[in-house]
Amino acid sequence: MAGIVTDIAALRKKSDPINSVDEAKDLIEKIKIVLAGISNGMGVAAIQIGIAKKVAVIRVGPDQFLNLINPEFEEGIDEIIYLREGCLSMPGYFQDTKRYRQITIKNQVIDGDKFREERQVFYYPKDKDDNLSRFDPLTCIAVQHELDHMNSITILERKVKREPLIAMPKVGRNDPCPCGSNKKFKKCCGK
């Protein structure tokens, strides 16, 4: 089994729906094997192991997994900026991304030898006392992340620029430093 794909061009290939329950089961097991060897990640999409199919597995607890099979995004509520989102395909790279606090998807669930469509809602809480989800709160972010992988979108396309907390006035090189040191800006904070 190959490891996680890190080639951005390969990750931007759109995934095709999976049609067979047996193929879905096989692919889910392959993804779980890769995920088992990773301690710092929550989910893996099939495209991340080099298979362009709409399947992903998200770890939602010890030995508990959420399988995404041909998922379709239905609705997103309350857009937020999620801080320092990472991706297993981009080790060590983190950035702020636009995500939704609540999402609704249609997901196919394996029911015996066929697929059954199920509507699923995931919620990311505003604070520690505000958790309506039966899953880890990060599952909401992970589902959106894996949906993006299936649709040839990486976190690079989700990047947002946060506004600075304090707007700094424009300072010339020879102006007094705004920090109050009584030095010229170029000799103080402008170094």
Side-chain angles (χ1 to χ4, degrees):
M1 172 68 53
I4 297 289
V5 172
T6 57
D7 176 21
I8 302 300
L11 292 170
R12 287 189 173 134
K13 182 176 180 187
K14 193 164 175 117
S15 297
D16 296 320
I18 199 155
N19 299 314
S20 155
V21 169
D22 289 335
E23 185 183 12
K25 286 179 180 178
D26 182 56
L27 193 46
I28 287 166
E29 287 310 310
K30 287 178 182 175
I31 295 170
K32 281 183 179 178
I33 290 168
V34 171
L35 197 52
I38 298 169
S39 62
N40 65 338
M42 247 183 113
V44 173
I47 193 70
Q48 289 180 278
I49 62 168
I51 302 169
K53 291 290 186 175
K54 288 191 172 192
V55 175
V57 177
I58 298 171
R59 186 182 296 135
V60 293
D63 299 320
Q64 292 180 309
F65 301 93
L66 169 66
N67 300 324
L68 299 178
I69 304 169
N70 298 326
E72 293 178 37
F73 179 86
E74 280 198 334
E75 179 183 35
I77 299 172
D78 194 12
E79 196 170 63
I80 61 170
I81 295 176
Y82 182 73
L83 304 179
R84 294 189 43 80
E85 183 171 339
C87 180
L88 293 171
S89 293
M90 298 174 208
Y93 180 78
F94 300 92
Q95 72 177 29
D96 300 344
T97 55
K98 259 190 195 171
R99 297 292 181 197
Y100 291 104
R101 188 174 301 286
Q102 180 177 317
I103 61 164
T104 304
I105 66 168
K106 282 194 292 189
N107 190 30
Q108 292 187 330
V109 177
I110 297 173
D111 189 2
D113 62 348
K114 60 184 177 173
F115 292 122
R116 174 177 45 83
E117 191 168 271
E118 193 174 272
R119 181 167 275 111
Q120 298 172 334
V121 177
F122 301 94
Y123 184 75
Y124 185 81
K126 290 180 182 177
D127 57 51
K128 65 181 172 108
D129 298 324
D130 175 31
N131 191 359
L132 304 175
S133 177
R134 63 186 177 114
F135 296 115
D136 177 312
L138 287 179
T139 303
C140 181
I141 304 300
V143 168
Q144 292 173 76
H145 183 100
E146 302 310 332
L147 282 169
D148 278 353
H149 273 305
M150 293 178 208
N151 292 305
S152 69
I153 299 169
T154 69
I155 60 172
L156 299 174
E157 286 82 36
R158 292 285 183 207
K159 185 174 186 170
V160 293
K161 183 177 178 183
R162 285 190 286 159
E163 294 298 317
L165 297 177
I166 300 171
M168 286 288 287
K170 187 125 178 138
V171 180
R173 289 176 32 86
N174 291 313
D175 290 341
C177 190
C179 76
S181 68
N182 292 327
K183 294 180 182 178
K184 289 185 179 185
F185 180 68
K186 68 181 179 186
K187 299 261 183 190
C188 189
C189 295
K191 267 186 179 174

